[in-house]
Amino acid sequence: MPLSDLIKLILLAAIWGGSFIFMRVAVPELGVVVTASLRVTIAGLALLGFVRLQSVPMLWRENVKSYAIVGFFSAAFPFSCFSYASQFLPTAYSAVLNATAPLFGALFSIVWLADRLTMRKLTGLLLGIIGVAVLVGAGALDLNPQTLSGALACLAAAASYAISSILMKKMGQNKTATNAASTGIHPYAMACGSMLLGGLMLAPAVPFSLPHQIPSVTAIVCMLSLALLATGVAQAIFIPLISRIGPTKAMTVTFLIPMFSMLWGYLFLHESVSTSTIAGTAIVLSAMGLILHSPASTKT
């Protein structure tokens, strides 16, 4: 993997590590639906301005179906799930469950992209999950119907992220294969279109989910940070990354997110760092090395 792409993975992990904290602050005041809807819509509008500045063609007639499908699996559904889970789960636990996305991605790639799941890659994926579990001391959370529903929501969101990355990869390959003059949907156009269509999907439920009180300035700032930084900027980095290094390797970013979640908690919330943090970090970095240096997947 080129050093520039590895740096982008780390940058994404740092950004998305803060997103769980933003949700923990925004959701209690704005609600699940409004938080998810504003996050997607504001990000889509910001990306629309960006693609226009870059003179990237959206080609709405040709691509609207692709935007809608990816928008559901990459934004509308998973963002709603994580917003819901943030009411019941600490940020670190949501990040741990989010780290199952590469495993889902690897499994889905076998079915849809005919990728070969090598033993080295599988070992790295499983080791990464173990690492993030150690990182946050998995098992310390009291289980009850609310926490279980939150955990299931996170797992559903992780699977949805994996599906969206496979779809983006598959759509691009199909379009390029059928038209030699075409390079598929531009990554920035996909990021913008999927966010805007995802926002439209959530919009009908917003009038029935408005908060009873005016949100605080802190909640609004967290919402804007969630939309512009953790969604708009992050999607503009992540979607092109999928095209270059593939969905499985791109989604290993989720292994690093819990480390940054706890780092931000330590710096801004004065949370303690346990020995499991150090051990988990070592395991996670080992898993990243196995996956990022595994041989390229081949078609069967």
Side-chain angles (χ1 to χ4, degrees), residues 64-154:
V64 65
K65 183 178 178 180
S66 298
Y67 294 154
I69 295 173
V70 174
F72 175 80
F73 285 106
S74 70
F77 180 72
F79 290 175
S80 298
C81 287
F82 277 121
S83 293
Y84 170 80
S86 69
Q87 302 174 102
F88 312 119
L89 296 180
T91 56
Y93 284 87
S94 294
V96 167
L97 295 170
N98 183 51
T100 61
L103 183 56
F104 283 116
L107 296 175
F108 295 155
S109 292
I110 296 173
V111 178
W112 290 326
L113 298 182
D115 278 359
R116 181 177 298 166
L117 183 59
T118 64
M119 183 57 66
R120 179 170 180 164
K121 185 180 292 186
L122 178 60
T123 301
L125 289 167
L126 294 177
L127 191 61
I129 295 172
I130 293 172
V132 291
V134 172
L135 193 62
V136 298
L141 188 66
D142 292 333
L143 295 181
N144 56 56
Q146 290 182 326
T147 57
L148 284 175
S149 66
L152 289 174
C154 288

Side-chain angles (χ1 to χ4, degrees), residues 151-227:
L152 289 174
C154 288
L155 288 173
S160 185
Y161 282 146
I163 291 172
S164 70
S165 69
I166 299 298
L167 288 172
M168 283 185 277
K169 184 75 173 178
K170 191 173 180 65
M171 287 172 182
Q173 288 175 341
N174 286 345
K175 191 165 186 178
T176 302
T178 57
N179 184 356
S182 174
T183 57
I185 301 174
H186 193 285
Y188 292 153
M190 177 62 82
C192 175
S194 61
M195 290 297 109
L196 290 175
L197 268 294
L200 286 177
M201 294 175 193
L202 293 171
V206 171
F208 305 99
S209 309
L210 295 175
H212 299 294
Q213 298 179 343
I214 298 176
S216 66
V217 173
T218 301
I220 293 174
V221 170
C222 285
M223 164 50 58
L224 291 175
S225 299
L226 187 64

Side-chain angles (χ1 to χ4, degrees), residues 40-78:
V40 178
T41 303
I42 294 174
L45 293 174
L47 285 168
L48 181 60
F50 175 73
V51 297
R52 287 185 174 178
L53 287 175
Q54 297 294 317
S55 300
V56 174
M58 291 298 297
L59 303 175
W60 285 102
R61 287 187 179 182
E62 297 91 334
N63 299 329
V64 65
K65 183 178 178 180
S66 298
Y67 294 154
I69 295 173
V70 174
F72 175 80
F73 285 106
S74 70
F77 180 72

